[in-house]
Amino acid sequence: MVVHAARAVVDGRETPVTVTVRDGEIVAVDTSGLAPTGPDVVHLADDEVLLPGLVDSHVHVNEPGRTEWEGFASATRAAAAGGVTTLIDMPLNSIPPTTTVAGLQAKRAVAVDQAYVDVGFWGGAVPGNIDDLLPLHDEGVFGFKCFLIDSGVPEFPPLAPDELRDDLRRTALIGALMIVHAERADEIDAAPHVPGPHYSDFVASRPDLSEVNAIRLVIDTMRETGACAHILHLSSAEALPLIREAKAEGLPLTVETCPHYLTFTAELIRDGSTAHKCCPPIRSDANRSRLWQALADGTIDCVVSDHSPSTADLKTDDFATAWGGIASVQLALPAVWTGARERGLGLPDVVRWMAEGPARQTGLDETKGRIAVGASADLVAFAPEAEVTVTVGDLLHKNPVSAYDGVTLRGVVRRTWLHGHPVDLDAEPRGRLLTRPLGGLS
């Protein structure tokens, strides 16, 4: 197969490109601008840009065990429709969680014949499973997720500070990455908790200080143990000075944020709109502006969806009791592009945040997240100027709940290729199960 595009994102810039694919791999990349001819050439439309397939390293598939919330077939179909060709599944909210090799095997068994995109798995770090970390690492998980606060599900409890220290010593020893849900319970317990439909009350119950102090704990423990760590779904811009200092010191710390923190603001969330509930919460417009600045200057390394769906009945109109999570894997690219475009940022920036950054974090950057010789032929035809008004019933994830319902976004994914094959959502899935590349962290 040969794909030609008058516009493409290659090596951090926009350029014309002709990509030649053989056996699912990119074997030639020509940026001369000359358009090839022939029956096997796919020409993108004039309004389309060729992008590498996105890597979403933060997706909750929930199968097995809570498959009524989400499953591999529905999640990966939504991912492909959104230009995501690789996703890494979180170790909760499935039952069993991915905290043992048996739990990982259960996940793989149900995913193997259902995946429309490539799928890898995070392991979980919970109290009492420190001796499971090495076996899981040897089985190819991409690292380990832990919470520093109640996760919301009883089978995945949080680590205490001393347990975090012990686990980081272990992950440092085996060369594994720890990814951390960074909120602390003490600050949240001390905050006012007013149940009901008012979003302002919910935000007040999850103060910035909880994130700041949790991230400080992670950084201090990294310094003590020599471990690598990644901060999940950064919400509070108040933590940015700490992160900048840690990076300047040379600590191996990376950070992500999510499309909902870059799209929505606390001031505009309607009472009772618990489709917008997530933890940590969506904060102010001023906070959002600082997150965008931190993305632009490289303080924040990547943007991933944190696709965390549930059944509609769990999204009650009371922010205190509603399930916290935003379903967005299909919409992450247009949501981020809409905000980036408004701020004068370009598609190469979006590719850096949503393809290259997550690929590097997971050690997949040799084959994923870029248009280059030797990379997997995972490609996306994206129409950046097309507009779409989201209708939740048209989205492909399992339950018709999304914070983006009724929102007009810029950018439409027209076609997605996986290993050089167009993804056909009505055909048999072609996705593969991935394991961590050998050699640990680069």
Side-chain angles (χ1 to χ4, degrees):
M1 185 183 72
V2 177
V3 180
H4 176 76
R7 293 175 63 194
V9 176
V10 181
D11 291 334
R13 62 190 178 96
E14 281 199 25
T15 180
V17 76
T18 300
V19 177
T20 303
V21 176
R22 185 176 298 118
D23 297 329
E25 183 178 299
I26 296 173
V27 296
V29 177
D30 178 7
T31 58
S32 68
L34 297 175
T37 59
D40 296 327
V41 179
V42 177
H43 291 275
L44 265 63
D46 291 342
D47 67 338
E48 294 176 344
V49 182
L50 188 67
L51 307 179
L54 304 187
V55 178
D56 193 338
S57 56
H58 195 148
V59 178
H60 294 266
V61 176
N62 305 334
E63 187 177 10
R66 290 191 176 96
T67 312
E68 70 275 14
W69 294 16
E70 190 65 283
F72 282 101
S74 51
T76 58
R77 291 175 86 249
V84 174
T85 53
T86 303
L87 67 82
I88 314 297
D89 173 60
M90 283 289 161
L92 73 163
N93 301 299
S94 56
I95 302 173
T98 318
T99 53
T100 64
V101 169
L104 175 64
Q105 290 171 339
K107 284 262 192 161
R108 286 176 170 165
V110 296
V112 65
D113 294 324
Q114 299 192 73
Y116 283 85
V117 301
D118 288 351
V119 175
F121 301 90
W122 295 107
V126 296
N129 86 323
I130 190 168
D131 290 332
D132 291 293
L133 302 187
L134 179 57
L136 281 164
H137 181 76
D138 288 344
E139 283 291 316
V141 298
F142 283 80
F144 300 95
K145 179 177 185 177
C146 72
F147 279 75
L148 303 181
I149 193 169
D150 180 19
S151 71
V153 293
E155 67 275 2
F156 206 98
L159 297 180
D162 59 334
E163 293 168 326
L164 175 68
R165 183 181 304 109
D166 291 343
D167 278 15
L168 283 180
R169 286 197 179 106
R170 185 65 57 91
T171 57
L173 182 66
I174 64 179
L177 178 67
M178 182 71 80
I179 63 175
V180 185
H181 181 121
E183 292 182 284
R184 277 179 63 95
D186 289 349
E187 293 78 7
I188 289 176
D189 291 345
H193 289 265
V194 180
H198 301 305
Y199 188 74
S200 57
D201 290 331
F202 172 62
V203 174
S205 74
R206 314 287 292 209
D208 293 83
L209 191 61
S210 173
E211 276 191 84
V212 172
N213 285 347
I215 291 170
R216 179 178 287 112
L217 172 65
V218 172
I219 291 170
D220 288 345
T221 311
M222 289 175 66
R223 193 179 289 116
E224 180 181 349
T225 61
C228 300
H230 175 81
I231 301 300
L232 297 164
H233 45 49
L234 180 71
S235 155
S236 175
E238 294 300 311
L240 290 170
L242 269 177
I243 292 165
R244 290 188 174 107
E245 290 170 9
K247 290 190 166 195
E249 184 183 335
L251 292 178
L253 177 72
T254 54
V255 182
E256 69 184 43
T257 193
C258 302
H260 37 277
Y261 300 127
L262 301 170
T263 301
F264 303 111
T265 63
E267 296 91 336
L268 297 181
I269 294 176
R270 303 182 308 276
D271 284 354
S273 184
T274 56
H276 290 86
K277 179 182 176 180
C278 55
C279 297
I282 296 163
R283 302 190 188 275
S284 69
D285 180 62
N287 183 88
R288 178 179 65 170
S289 294
R290 292 174 65 190
L291 293 179
W292 274 107
Q293 291 165 4
L295 267 174
D297 69 24
T299 302
I300 298 174
D301 299 273
C302 51
V303 182
V304 292
S305 71
D306 190 8
H307 178 73
S308 184
S310 70
T311 53
D313 61 293
L314 296 180
K315 286 290 192 180
T316 68
D317 61 4
D318 183 346
F319 279 99
T321 58
W323 176 257
I326 292 178
S328 60
V329 68
Q330 187 172 340
L331 300 171
L333 174 57
V336 174
W337 168 237
T338 299
R341 182 180 178 277
E342 291 171 353
R343 291 163 177 81
L345 298 161
L347 284 171
D349 298 303
V350 174
V351 167
R352 187 173 73 252
W353 304 327
M354 303 188 75
E356 297 168 6
R360 188 178 308 111
Q361 178 211 354
T362 53
L364 292 170
D365 46 317
E366 289 297 315
T367 57
K368 299 286 188 177
R370 61 197 186 110
I371 297 174
V373 173
S376 180
D378 303 341
L379 303 168
V380 176
F382 182 63
E385 298 306 316
E387 277 192 350
V388 62
T389 299
V390 177
T391 301
V392 71
D394 294 338
L395 299 176
L396 299 179
H397 66 263
K398 184 165 284 189
N399 289 284
V401 179
S402 175
Y404 293 88
D405 189 31
V407 175
T408 298
L409 299 173
R410 183 82 68 161
V412 172
V413 172
R414 297 258 177 85
R415 282 177 286 180
T416 302
W417 291 266
L418 180 70
H419 310 304
H421 297 280
V423 178
D424 182 349
L425 300 180
D426 295 319
E428 290 295 313
R430 291 177 173 267
R432 303 171 182 171
L433 300 190
L434 303 176
T435 56
R436 183 194 72 261
L438 295 177
L441 299 172
S442 59

